[in-house]
């Protein structure tokens, strides 16, 4: 399937965080904001953005609120986790739809949240961790943060960092840049001057 025919869903989630000093019994990260960008034939066909109400620990920690610059009211006004799963399924539930995230946490947390809520995992397609692709492609020793990667490309990210839809759009922009660079690298090497000039004949002239 060519890149043009493939559908790709770019996803970013923000999660709940525990306070540094408190040990909440049974704490696990829950999705509290979701951003998704569906791309078909190289064009954005749908964007989705919403806050999501956490099930297990509905009250956000101070650390989470300040780190994500998010309020309790915003999260309280969000959709249910089940509604999020339904939405993701409607956007990327086809197994031919590949899922692209920056890092592997988004899919891990989604899987864990699905298990906790006893709902099926909504995204059966191939999962791509773009940060690992980027790392392999550029030979970086460490995984690069999403927005650092954008800056390395000499671009600015879309909107605000740690806003789910903005991060999903930024992931899509980097994906396009990496794919373009990959195509560039896969092109046949241009002929060198050595290929064009037979140096042995030339040297014989001067011998």
């Amino acid at each position: 399937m060519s890149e043009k025919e493939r559908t790709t869903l770019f996803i970013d989630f923000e999660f709940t965080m525990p306070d540094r000093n408190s040990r909440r019994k049974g704490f696990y990260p829950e999705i509290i904001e979701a951003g998704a960008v569906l791309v078909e034939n190289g064009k954005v066909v749908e964007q989705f953005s919403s806050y999501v109400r956490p099930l297990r620990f509905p009250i956000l920690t101070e650390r989470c609120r300040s780190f994500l610059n998010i309020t309790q009211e915003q999260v309280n006004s969000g959709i249910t986790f089940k509604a999020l799963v339904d939405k993701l399924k409607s956007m990327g539930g086809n197994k031919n739809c590949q899922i692209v995230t920056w890092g592997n946490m988004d899919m891990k947390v989604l899987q864990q949240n699905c298990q906790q809520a006893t709902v099926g995992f909504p995204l059966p397609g191939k999962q791509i961790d773009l940060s690992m692709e980027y790392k392999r492609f550029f030979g970086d020793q460490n995984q690069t943060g999403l927005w650092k990667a954008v800056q390395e490309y000499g671009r600015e990210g879309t909107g605000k960092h740690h806003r789910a839809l903005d991060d999903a759009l930024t992931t899509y922009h980097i994906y396009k840049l990496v794919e373009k660079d990959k195509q560039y690298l896969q092109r046949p090497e241009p002929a060198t001057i050595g290929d064009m000039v037979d140096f042995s004949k030339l040297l014989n002239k001067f011998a």
Side-chain angles (χ1 to χ4, degrees), residues 97-137:
C97 179
Q98 65 178 7
I99 312 302
V100 177
T101 55
W102 189 267
N104 61 7
M105 273 298 284
D106 298 276
M107 289 301 102
K108 278 185 179 168
V109 172
L110 179 60
Q111 272 168 327
Q112 188 183 26
N113 286 190
C114 285
Q115 284 165 356
Q116 293 285 350
T118 58
V119 293
F121 187 73
L123 303 169
K126 179 186 176 189
Q127 294 175 19
I128 294 173
D129 173 357
L130 189 59
S131 74
M132 289 307 287
E133 292 252 318
Y134 184 92
K135 180 183 169 182
R136 278 196 296 270
F137 184 61

mmCIF file of all heavy atoms in Angstrom, residues 97-137:
data_model
loop_
_atom_site.group_PDB
_atom_site.id
_atom_site.type_symbol
_atom_site.label_atom_id
_atom_site.label_comp_id
_atom_site.label_asym_id
_atom_site.label_seq_id
_atom_site.Cartn_x
_atom_site.Cartn_y
_atom_site.Cartn_z
ATOM 1 N N CYS A 97 -5.417 1.250 9.103
ATOM 2 C CA CYS A 97 -5.058 2.598 9.546
ATOM 3 C C CYS A 97 -3.878 2.485 10.508
ATOM 4 O O CYS A 97 -3.991 1.875 11.565
ATOM 5 C CB CYS A 97 -6.250 3.254 10.244
ATOM 6 S SG CYS A 97 -5.878 4.908 10.850
ATOM 7 N N GLN A 98 -2.731 3.064 10.128
ATOM 8 C CA GLN A 98 -1.580 2.989 11.031
ATOM 9 C C GLN A 98 -1.675 4.115 12.069
ATOM 10 O O GLN A 98 -2.206 5.186 11.799
ATOM 11 C CB GLN A 98 -0.266 3.020 10.268
ATOM 12 C CG GLN A 98 0.016 4.299 9.524
ATOM 13 C CD GLN A 98 1.375 4.268 8.826
ATOM 14 O OE1 GLN A 98 2.053 3.241 8.794
ATOM 15 N NE2 GLN A 98 1.772 5.392 8.272
ATOM 16 N N ILE A 99 -1.171 3.822 13.263
ATOM 17 C CA ILE A 99 -1.253 4.755 14.388
ATOM 18 C C ILE A 99 0.144 5.283 14.663
ATOM 19 O O ILE A 99 1.082 4.502 14.870
ATOM 20 C CB ILE A 99 -1.780 4.036 15.656
ATOM 21 C CG1 ILE A 99 -3.042 3.200 15.343
ATOM 22 C CG2 ILE A 99 -2.028 5.029 16.779
ATOM 23 C CD1 ILE A 99 -4.197 3.959 14.762
ATOM 24 N N VAL A 100 0.294 6.601 14.665
ATOM 25 C CA VAL A 100 1.610 7.201 14.899
ATOM 26 C C VAL A 100 1.564 8.052 16.164
ATOM 27 O O VAL A 100 0.689 8.910 16.315
ATOM 28 C CB VAL A 100 2.058 8.065 13.693
ATOM 29 C CG1 VAL A 100 3.401 8.734 13.977
ATOM 30 C CG2 VAL A 100 2.153 7.223 12.431
ATOM 31 N N THR A 101 2.512 7.787 17.066
ATOM 32 C CA THR A 101 2.642 8.578 18.293
ATOM 33 C C THR A 101 4.111 8.957 18.459
ATOM 34 O O THR A 101 4.984 8.364 17.828
ATOM 35 C CB THR A 101 2.204 7.779 19.532
ATOM 36 O OG1 THR A 101 2.959 6.555 19.574
ATOM 37 C CG2 THR A 101 0.725 7.455 19.507
ATOM 38 N N TRP A 102 4.366 9.925 19.319
ATOM 39 C CA TRP A 102 5.751 10.289 19.646
ATOM 40 C C TRP A 102 6.054 9.641 20.996
ATOM 41 O O TRP A 102 5.531 10.068 22.015
ATOM 42 C CB TRP A 102 5.924 11.811 19.724
ATOM 43 C CG TRP A 102 7.365 12.187 19.833
ATOM 44 C CD1 TRP A 102 8.069 12.391 20.993
ATOM 45 C CD2 TRP A 102 8.301 12.360 18.768
ATOM 46 N NE1 TRP A 102 9.386 12.671 20.702
ATOM 47 C CE2 TRP A 102 9.556 12.664 19.341
ATOM 48 C CE3 TRP A 102 8.206 12.284 17.374
ATOM 49 C CZ2 TRP A 102 10.700 12.904 18.574
ATOM 50 C CZ3 TRP A 102 9.338 12.519 16.618
ATOM 51 C CH2 TRP A 102 10.566 12.826 17.226
ATOM 52 N N GLY A 103 6.864 8.583 20.979
ATOM 53 C CA GLY A 103 7.092 7.810 22.201
ATOM 54 C C GLY A 103 6.074 6.688 22.298
ATOM 55 O O GLY A 103 5.104 6.646 21.538
ATOM 56 N N ASN A 104 6.299 5.760 23.229
ATOM 57 C CA ASN A 104 5.397 4.593 23.316
ATOM 58 C C ASN A 104 4.411 4.700 24.484
ATOM 59 O O ASN A 104 3.596 3.817 24.690
ATOM 60 C CB ASN A 104 6.202 3.294 23.440
ATOM 61 C CG ASN A 104 7.078 3.275 24.696
ATOM 62 O OD1 ASN A 104 6.997 4.173 25.537
ATOM 63 N ND2 ASN A 104 7.913 2.270 24.815
ATOM 64 N N MET A 105 4.467 5.798 25.233
ATOM 65 C CA MET A 105 3.602 5.910 26.418
ATOM 66 C C MET A 105 2.123 6.019 26.066
ATOM 67 O O MET A 105 1.273 5.474 26.769
ATOM 68 C CB MET A 105 3.994 7.152 27.246
ATOM 69 C CG MET A 105 5.088 6.907 28.258
ATOM 70 S SD MET A 105 4.629 5.694 29.515
ATOM 71 C CE MET A 105 3.542 6.687 30.554
ATOM 72 N N ASP A 106 1.818 6.726 24.981
ATOM 73 C CA ASP A 106 0.400 6.965 24.656
ATOM 74 C C ASP A 106 -0.357 5.648 24.481
ATOM 75 O O ASP A 106 -1.429 5.459 25.049
ATOM 76 C CB ASP A 106 0.285 7.812 23.383
ATOM 77 C CG ASP A 106 0.910 9.180 23.563
ATOM 78 O OD1 ASP A 106 0.233 10.077 24.079
ATOM 79 O OD2 ASP A 106 2.090 9.353 23.216
ATOM 80 N N MET A 107 0.226 4.729 23.711
ATOM 81 C CA MET A 107 -0.452 3.458 23.461
ATOM 82 C C MET A 107 -0.457 2.567 24.707
ATOM 83 O O MET A 107 -1.421 1.858 24.970
ATOM 84 C CB MET A 107 0.195 2.726 22.280
ATOM 85 C CG MET A 107 -0.058 3.362 20.935
ATOM 86 S SD MET A 107 -1.823 3.488 20.488
ATOM 87 C CE MET A 107 -2.158 5.212 20.824
ATOM 88 N N LYS A 108 0.648 2.631 25.479
ATOM 89 C CA LYS A 108 0.690 1.839 26.721
ATOM 90 C C LYS A 108 -0.408 2.283 27.684
ATOM 91 O O LYS A 108 -1.109 1.459 28.272
ATOM 92 C CB LYS A 108 2.054 2.016 27.416
ATOM 93 C CG LYS A 108 3.152 1.139 26.854
ATOM 94 C CD LYS A 108 4.408 1.296 27.680
ATOM 95 C CE LYS A 108 5.536 0.410 27.180
ATOM 96 N NZ LYS A 108 6.824 0.749 27.788
ATOM 97 N N VAL A 109 -0.532 3.596 27.854
ATOM 98 C CA VAL A 109 -1.543 4.124 28.790
ATOM 99 C C VAL A 109 -2.949 3.837 28.258
ATOM 100 O O VAL A 109 -3.835 3.449 29.015
ATOM 101 C CB VAL A 109 -1.328 5.638 29.045
ATOM 102 C CG1 VAL A 109 -2.492 6.222 29.843
ATOM 103 C CG2 VAL A 109 -0.022 5.859 29.814
ATOM 104 N N LEU A 110 -3.152 3.975 26.956
ATOM 105 C CA LEU A 110 -4.471 3.669 26.384
ATOM 106 C C LEU A 110 -4.831 2.210 26.635
ATOM 107 O O LEU A 110 -5.957 1.890 27.037
ATOM 108 C CB LEU A 110 -4.491 3.980 24.884
ATOM 109 C CG LEU A 110 -5.806 3.669 24.159
ATOM 110 C CD1 LEU A 110 -6.972 4.452 24.746
ATOM 111 C CD2 LEU A 110 -5.679 3.940 22.656
ATOM 112 N N GLN A 111 -3.865 1.315 26.421
ATOM 113 C CA GLN A 111 -4.133 -0.116 26.649
ATOM 114 C C GLN A 111 -4.477 -0.381 28.118
ATOM 115 O O GLN A 111 -5.428 -1.101 28.425
ATOM 116 C CB GLN A 111 -2.924 -0.958 26.217
ATOM 117 C CG GLN A 111 -3.006 -1.312 24.752
ATOM 118 C CD GLN A 111 -1.716 -1.881 24.189
ATOM 119 O OE1 GLN A 111 -0.619 -1.515 24.590
ATOM 120 N NE2 GLN A 111 -1.840 -2.764 23.222
ATOM 121 N N GLN A 112 -3.695 0.227 29.005
ATOM 122 C CA GLN A 112 -3.935 0.029 30.434
ATOM 123 C C GLN A 112 -5.293 0.607 30.845
ATOM 124 O O GLN A 112 -6.049 -0.026 31.593
ATOM 125 C CB GLN A 112 -2.822 0.693 31.244
ATOM 126 C CG GLN A 112 -2.889 0.357 32.723
ATOM 127 C CD GLN A 112 -1.822 1.087 33.525
ATOM 128 O OE1 GLN A 112 -1.348 2.151 33.131
ATOM 129 N NE2 GLN A 112 -1.439 0.521 34.653
ATOM 130 N N ASN A 113 -5.628 1.789 30.328
ATOM 131 C CA ASN A 113 -6.918 2.409 30.653
ATOM 132 C C ASN A 113 -8.082 1.574 30.124
ATOM 133 O O ASN A 113 -9.121 1.466 30.770
ATOM 134 C CB ASN A 113 -6.991 3.828 30.079
ATOM 135 C CG ASN A 113 -6.148 4.850 30.845
ATOM 136 O OD1 ASN A 113 -6.253 6.053 30.616
ATOM 137 N ND2 ASN A 113 -5.284 4.411 31.745
ATOM 138 N N CYS A 114 -7.894 0.969 28.942
ATOM 139 C CA CYS A 114 -8.937 0.092 28.379
ATOM 140 C C CYS A 114 -9.151 -1.131 29.276
ATOM 141 O O CYS A 114 -10.281 -1.535 29.545
ATOM 142 C CB CYS A 114 -8.569 -0.360 26.966
ATOM 143 S SG CYS A 114 -8.767 0.922 25.714
ATOM 144 N N GLN A 115 -8.034 -1.718 29.751
ATOM 145 C CA GLN A 115 -8.130 -2.881 30.642
ATOM 146 C C GLN A 115 -8.867 -2.511 31.930
ATOM 147 O O GLN A 115 -9.754 -3.235 32.385
ATOM 148 C CB GLN A 115 -6.733 -3.409 30.980
ATOM 149 C CG GLN A 115 -6.096 -4.189 29.846
ATOM 150 C CD GLN A 115 -4.597 -4.397 30.049
ATOM 151 O OE1 GLN A 115 -4.008 -3.907 31.007
ATOM 152 N NE2 GLN A 115 -3.978 -5.114 29.130
ATOM 153 N N GLN A 116 -8.492 -1.365 32.510
ATOM 154 C CA GLN A 116 -9.103 -0.933 33.772
ATOM 155 C C GLN A 116 -10.599 -0.655 33.600
ATOM 156 O O GLN A 116 -11.382 -0.874 34.507
ATOM 157 C CB GLN A 116 -8.403 0.324 34.303
ATOM 158 C CG GLN A 116 -6.960 0.118 34.734
ATOM 159 C CD GLN A 116 -6.827 -0.613 36.072
ATOM 160 O OE1 GLN A 116 -7.806 -0.812 36.795
ATOM 161 N NE2 GLN A 116 -5.617 -1.042 36.404
ATOM 162 N N ALA A 117 -10.963 -0.154 32.424
ATOM 163 C CA ALA A 117 -12.373 0.183 32.172
ATOM 164 C C ALA A 117 -13.132 -0.984 31.538
ATOM 165 O O ALA A 117 -14.322 -0.858 31.235
ATOM 166 C CB ALA A 117 -12.454 1.405 31.265
ATOM 167 N N THR A 118 -12.413 -2.096 31.337
ATOM 168 C CA THR A 118 -12.957 -3.288 30.659
ATOM 169 C C THR A 118 -13.663 -2.943 29.340
ATOM 170 O O THR A 118 -14.817 -3.300 29.115
ATOM 171 C CB THR A 118 -13.881 -4.146 31.568
ATOM 172 O OG1 THR A 118 -14.955 -3.327 32.020
ATOM 173 C CG2 THR A 118 -13.133 -4.721 32.752
ATOM 174 N N VAL A 119 -12.939 -2.215 28.497
ATOM 175 C CA VAL A 119 -13.417 -1.975 27.121
ATOM 176 C C VAL A 119 -12.325 -2.446 26.162
ATOM 177 O O VAL A 119 -11.146 -2.479 26.522
ATOM 178 C CB VAL A 119 -13.747 -0.482 26.862
ATOM 179 C CG1 VAL A 119 -14.933 -0.035 27.672
ATOM 180 C CG2 VAL A 119 -12.550 0.421 27.113
ATOM 181 N N GLY A 120 -12.738 -2.817 24.973
ATOM 182 C CA GLY A 120 -11.781 -3.321 23.990
ATOM 183 C C GLY A 120 -10.858 -2.213 23.484
ATOM 184 O O GLY A 120 -11.251 -1.043 23.399
ATOM 185 N N PHE A 121 -9.639 -2.600 23.115
ATOM 186 C CA PHE A 121 -8.674 -1.640 22.562
ATOM 187 C C PHE A 121 -9.146 -1.229 21.166
ATOM 188 O O PHE A 121 -9.393 -2.085 20.317
ATOM 189 C CB PHE A 121 -7.280 -2.287 22.507
ATOM 190 C CG PHE A 121 -6.189 -1.335 22.117
ATOM 191 C CD1 PHE A 121 -5.740 -0.373 23.015
ATOM 192 C CD2 PHE A 121 -5.624 -1.383 20.854
ATOM 193 C CE1 PHE A 121 -4.735 0.518 22.656
ATOM 194 C CE2 PHE A 121 -4.614 -0.496 20.488
ATOM 195 C CZ PHE A 121 -4.175 0.459 21.402
ATOM 196 N N PRO A 122 -9.278 0.077 20.890
ATOM 197 C CA PRO A 122 -9.971 0.509 19.668
ATOM 198 C C PRO A 122 -9.124 0.612 18.403
ATOM 199 O O PRO A 122 -9.659 0.882 17.333
ATOM 200 C CB PRO A 122 -10.472 1.913 20.059
ATOM 201 C CG PRO A 122 -9.450 2.419 21.041
ATOM 202 C CD PRO A 122 -8.964 1.212 21.793
ATOM 203 N N LEU A 123 -7.805 0.419 18.509
ATOM 204 C CA LEU A 123 -6.928 0.725 17.372
ATOM 205 C C LEU A 123 -6.119 -0.506 16.946
ATOM 206 O O LEU A 123 -5.024 -0.744 17.438
ATOM 207 C CB LEU A 123 -5.970 1.875 17.744
ATOM 208 C CG LEU A 123 -6.652 3.166 18.207
ATOM 209 C CD1 LEU A 123 -5.631 4.129 18.798
ATOM 210 C CD2 LEU A 123 -7.420 3.821 17.067
ATOM 211 N N PRO A 124 -6.657 -1.318 16.020
ATOM 212 C CA PRO A 124 -6.000 -2.581 15.664
ATOM 213 C C PRO A 124 -4.846 -2.443 14.668
ATOM 214 O O PRO A 124 -4.145 -3.399 14.397
ATOM 215 C CB PRO A 124 -7.134 -3.390 15.032
ATOM 216 C CG PRO A 124 -8.037 -2.355 14.436
ATOM 217 C CD PRO A 124 -7.946 -1.147 15.332
ATOM 218 N N GLY A 125 -4.649 -1.237 14.103
ATOM 219 C CA GLY A 125 -3.645 -1.080 13.048
ATOM 220 C C GLY A 125 -2.215 -1.098 13.564
ATOM 221 O O GLY A 125 -1.955 -1.171 14.768
ATOM 222 N N LYS A 126 -1.275 -1.024 12.631
ATOM 223 C CA LYS A 126 0.150 -1.005 12.955
ATOM 224 C C LYS A 126 0.472 0.258 13.755
ATOM 225 O O LYS A 126 0.034 1.353 13.408
ATOM 226 C CB LYS A 126 0.938 -1.008 11.642
ATOM 227 C CG LYS A 126 2.447 -0.957 11.813
ATOM 228 C CD LYS A 126 3.136 -0.806 10.464
ATOM 229 C CE LYS A 126 4.630 -0.646 10.651
ATOM 230 N NZ LYS A 126 5.299 -0.297 9.389
ATOM 231 N N GLN A 127 1.250 0.081 14.831
ATOM 232 C CA GLN A 127 1.630 1.225 15.664
ATOM 233 C C GLN A 127 3.066 1.631 15.367
ATOM 234 O O GLN A 127 3.961 0.792 15.319
ATOM 235 C CB GLN A 127 1.497 0.865 17.143
ATOM 236 C CG GLN A 127 0.063 0.605 17.565
ATOM 237 C CD GLN A 127 -0.034 0.134 19.013
ATOM 238 O OE1 GLN A 127 0.873 0.316 19.807
ATOM 239 N NE2 GLN A 127 -1.151 -0.485 19.346
ATOM 240 N N ILE A 128 3.269 2.923 15.169
ATOM 241 C CA ILE A 128 4.603 3.440 14.885
ATOM 242 C C ILE A 128 4.973 4.457 15.967
ATOM 243 O O ILE A 128 4.226 5.408 16.209
ATOM 244 C CB ILE A 128 4.638 4.120 13.499
ATOM 245 C CG1 ILE A 128 4.401 3.084 12.403
ATOM 246 C CG2 ILE A 128 5.969 4.842 13.275
ATOM 247 C CD1 ILE A 128 4.245 3.662 11.026
ATOM 248 N N ASP A 129 6.107 4.215 16.601
ATOM 249 C CA ASP A 129 6.651 5.184 17.557
ATOM 250 C C ASP A 129 7.617 6.067 16.773
ATOM 251 O O ASP A 129 8.731 5.662 16.469
ATOM 252 C CB ASP A 129 7.360 4.437 18.699
ATOM 253 C CG ASP A 129 8.094 5.385 19.643
ATOM 254 O OD1 ASP A 129 8.109 6.613 19.386
ATOM 255 O OD2 ASP A 129 8.670 4.907 20.638
ATOM 256 N N LEU A 130 7.147 7.261 16.436
ATOM 257 C CA LEU A 130 7.937 8.136 15.565
ATOM 258 C C LEU A 130 9.248 8.578 16.220
ATOM 259 O O LEU A 130 10.235 8.811 15.534
ATOM 260 C CB LEU A 130 7.103 9.358 15.164
ATOM 261 C CG LEU A 130 7.694 10.265 14.083
ATOM 262 C CD1 LEU A 130 7.941 9.514 12.779
ATOM 263 C CD2 LEU A 130 6.792 11.464 13.823
ATOM 264 N N SER A 131 9.270 8.639 17.543
ATOM 265 C CA SER A 131 10.518 9.055 18.213
ATOM 266 C C SER A 131 11.625 8.028 17.982
ATOM 267 O O SER A 131 12.796 8.374 17.837
ATOM 268 C CB SER A 131 10.300 9.277 19.710
ATOM 269 O OG SER A 131 10.160 8.053 20.404
ATOM 270 N N MET A 132 11.255 6.732 17.911
ATOM 271 C CA MET A 132 12.250 5.685 17.637
ATOM 272 C C MET A 132 12.683 5.728 16.168
ATOM 273 O O MET A 132 13.849 5.541 15.851
ATOM 274 C CB MET A 132 11.690 4.300 17.973
ATOM 275 C CG MET A 132 11.524 4.045 19.452
ATOM 276 S SD MET A 132 13.039 4.345 20.422
ATOM 277 C CE MET A 132 14.027 2.941 19.935
ATOM 278 N N GLU A 133 11.723 5.988 15.274
ATOM 279 C CA GLU A 133 12.068 6.133 13.858
ATOM 280 C C GLU A 133 13.045 7.295 13.688
ATOM 281 O O GLU A 133 14.021 7.194 12.953
ATOM 282 C CB GLU A 133 10.794 6.445 13.048
ATOM 283 C CG GLU A 133 9.815 5.304 12.980
ATOM 284 C CD GLU A 133 9.768 4.675 11.605
ATOM 285 O OE1 GLU A 133 9.784 5.385 10.607
ATOM 286 O OE2 GLU A 133 9.727 3.431 11.546
ATOM 287 N N TYR A 134 12.743 8.378 14.372
ATOM 288 C CA TYR A 134 13.573 9.586 14.294
ATOM 289 C C TYR A 134 14.973 9.291 14.832
ATOM 290 O O TYR A 134 15.980 9.668 14.243
ATOM 291 C CB TYR A 134 12.895 10.685 15.120
ATOM 292 C CG TYR A 134 13.569 12.038 15.073
ATOM 293 C CD1 TYR A 134 13.184 12.989 14.136
ATOM 294 C CD2 TYR A 134 14.569 12.383 15.974
ATOM 295 C CE1 TYR A 134 13.779 14.238 14.089
ATOM 296 C CE2 TYR A 134 15.169 13.628 15.938
ATOM 297 C CZ TYR A 134 14.772 14.555 14.996
ATOM 298 O OH TYR A 134 15.375 15.785 14.960
ATOM 299 N N LYS A 135 15.006 8.560 15.946
ATOM 300 C CA LYS A 135 16.284 8.208 16.572
ATOM 301 C C LYS A 135 17.120 7.331 15.628
ATOM 302 O O LYS A 135 18.305 7.577 15.414
ATOM 303 C CB LYS A 135 16.004 7.468 17.886
ATOM 304 C CG LYS A 135 17.247 7.052 18.647
ATOM 305 C CD LYS A 135 16.863 6.271 19.900
ATOM 306 C CE LYS A 135 18.084 5.625 20.508
ATOM 307 N NZ LYS A 135 17.785 4.833 21.675
ATOM 308 N N ARG A 136 16.483 6.318 15.046
ATOM 309 C CA ARG A 136 17.197 5.425 14.116
ATOM 310 C C ARG A 136 17.660 6.189 12.883
ATOM 311 O O ARG A 136 18.764 6.023 12.402
ATOM 312 C CB ARG A 136 16.277 4.278 13.682
ATOM 313 C CG ARG A 136 16.208 3.131 14.672
ATOM 314 C CD ARG A 136 15.611 1.897 14.023
ATOM 315 N NE ARG A 136 14.240 2.099 13.626
ATOM 316 C CZ ARG A 136 13.191 1.848 14.392
ATOM 317 N NH1 ARG A 136 13.362 1.395 15.611
ATOM 318 N NH2 ARG A 136 11.967 2.040 13.956
ATOM 319 N N PHE A 137 16.773 7.048 12.400
ATOM 320 C CA PHE A 137 17.027 7.760 11.155
ATOM 321 C C PHE A 137 18.195 8.728 11.299
ATOM 322 O O PHE A 137 19.042 8.834 10.431
ATOM 323 C CB PHE A 137 15.751 8.504 10.754
ATOM 324 C CG PHE A 137 15.842 9.201 9.433
ATOM 325 C CD1 PHE A 137 16.072 8.477 8.272
ATOM 326 C CD2 PHE A 137 15.688 10.566 9.343
ATOM 327 C CE1 PHE A 137 16.151 9.120 7.041
ATOM 328 C CE2 PHE A 137 15.763 11.210 8.123
ATOM 329 C CZ PHE A 137 15.990 10.484 6.970
#
